[in-house]
Amino acid sequence: MDLEKLLSDRLAPAFAAVAGVPVDPAVRRSQHADFQSDAALGLARRLGRPPREIAAEVRERAALADLCAAVEVSGPGFLNLTVAGHALGGLVSAMAADPRLGVPLAAEPETVVVDYSGPNVAKEMHVGHLRSTVIGDAAARTLEWLGHRVLRANHLGDWGTPFGMLIEHLLDLGEAGAAQELSMGDLDGFYKAARAKFDDDEAFRERSRQRVVALQGGDPATLRLWRLLVTQSESYFLTVYDLLDVTLTGDDFRGESSYHDQLAPTVGELDRLGLLRRSDGADCVFPPGSVGRDGEPLPLIVRKSDGGYGYPATDLAALRHRTGALGATRLLYVVGLPQRRHFEMVFAVAAQAGWLAPPVRAEHVGFGSILGPDGRMLRSRAGGSVKLVELLTEAVGRATALARERNPELGEAEATEVGRAVGVGAIKYADLSGDRHKDYVLDWERMLSLDGNTAPYLQYAYSRVRSIFRRAGAAARPDAEISLAEPAERALAMELVGFAAVVDEVAGGLEFHRLTAYLHRLAVAFSAFYERCPVLRAQGPIRESRLVLCELTGRVLRQGLDLLGIRTPERL
């Protein structure tokens, strides 16, 4: 049902026959026709022939009679393709009859590990965790819907030297008092109090150091207290994930501690492979091509001079576990762009060790920062990091107020539910609708607008579809013949049949702004259709055809937004 692919498949043999070698027809949507191929231009120099002549010969050879109403050579050698109405209608009918909306399951399903969110135990989740959580969850949802086995890995910071001071602070408060404080979500207060005592009290500092030794040595009493910190923090994180409406669960927590026993074997394997080098007392690997600003080789330190292990060793152990024990062939690390160099080096070392060998590959799914209205990193009024719960609560509050104002008929419970769907959806969509590599400005007015490329605009389009069927009192007939006599009907149908191609593209590059752009185009096309093509006032086959177009639009909007983790209220 991918129309672009259908046209490419028909043109490919014709181009191959003209060129004598396989040629990508390079079919794209066009403003001059439905689709356009510019492959003839690239062949002109190789064949020593005018591109218009090549395009004309391809047109004669291509089997397009049943798909295209017109195939024209234009400009310097473009092929303009206009899809026949009956062919487009048939594709719409097939898509409407398909529970998967024309999107096939992956031909070769993979085991994919998506490493995302990754907050630190005993620390508040702040706005800096938003992008990893939202982008990672969209990746997991999309790949899972396509039939891949997706393993979510929430790589918690739950191990290391800070836990000495945290456990000692817990003991000072008493277990019951500490548990109550942590269960209320005041992780920042707990951490800051421990840090202040560590900085100001030498005796506390010494106790903390000894506690780290006990923790790393496996002292049962210390491990029990550490586990209390982790459990309370995980409970709080799950509350945030529930509010954010993401698919992470308690089963997805994969703390740094879970790889602790694998650090020595991992570094040992690197040593046996001859990859370790001693540098300033530390054990390092020098990945090929990694150099510092001074032009000198840049090392990845896997074991520090004091014998301890840092983040690189943990990341290598996790990668080795995921490709080995879990059998993953695609690893996604949804982490901010400032960590790009780190992951390049980790992946390079893993490739040297043989843990990343085709078809296994690892990808750093990097992203930019969230900025405030002043164009700087988003901060609270006090100048600190904005707590994620506070951001989400404000979004839901603003959206709920707008829902009550716009639709006074909504009951209290429904207004609250709509407010949550719209508020959280607006936050997610603002994050996903721009190129993830770039920073973006958090703008409440734009995010919650019912106009433009926003979640509320798409949610409103979906609710408008549902209102048609509430008034119709019946569902669309799946066997209805599709009529595309009006330009707005045809334009909507063209957008609908593009869904499969967009999902396939997004699954590969994980650039979700391509999906949001598609959904926005679909909603705009539906709005024009809604204004120009009466549905319920139409009669007979025209009414039935338009009901199919409406229902299919609603299904695609709902499925597309679901891949992004955004709910679609029936009424708005």
Side-chain angles (χ1 to χ4, degrees), residues 486-548:
E486 296 295 328
E489 293 173 312
R490 194 177 193 285
L492 178 58
M494 285 296 299
E495 293 297 344
L496 285 167
V497 298
F499 183 52
V502 170
V503 172
D504 182 65
E505 182 181 21
V506 168
L510 302 174
E511 294 180 330
F512 292 97
H513 68 285
R514 301 188 184 281
L515 177 55
T516 61
Y518 164 79
L519 294 173
H520 180 246
R521 291 196 306 271
L522 176 62
V524 169
F526 175 74
S527 179
F529 163 82
Y530 184 84
E531 292 172 5
R532 298 167 191 168
C533 302
V535 178
L536 300 183
R537 294 199 310 272
Q539 301 297 318
I542 299 298
R543 172 187 165 108
E544 296 302 329
S545 172
R546 290 177 179 174
L547 282 172
V548 172

Side-chain angles (χ1 to χ4, degrees), residues 30 38 197 241 338 416 520:
S30 171
D38 62 3
K197 284 197 288 187
Y241 294 142
T416 300
H520 180 246

Side-chain angles (χ1 to χ4, degrees), residues 366-404:
F367 51 83
S369 301
I370 303 177
L371 308 179
D374 59 358
R376 299 180 178 180
M377 294 288 288
L378 187 65
R379 297 288 181 183
S380 67
R381 291 179 181 176
S385 297
V386 176
K387 293 183 178 181
L388 187 49
V389 166
E390 293 177 355
L391 182 72
L392 296 172
T393 300
E394 181 173 359
V396 171
R398 286 172 178 259
T400 303
L402 287 173
R404 292 193 181 107

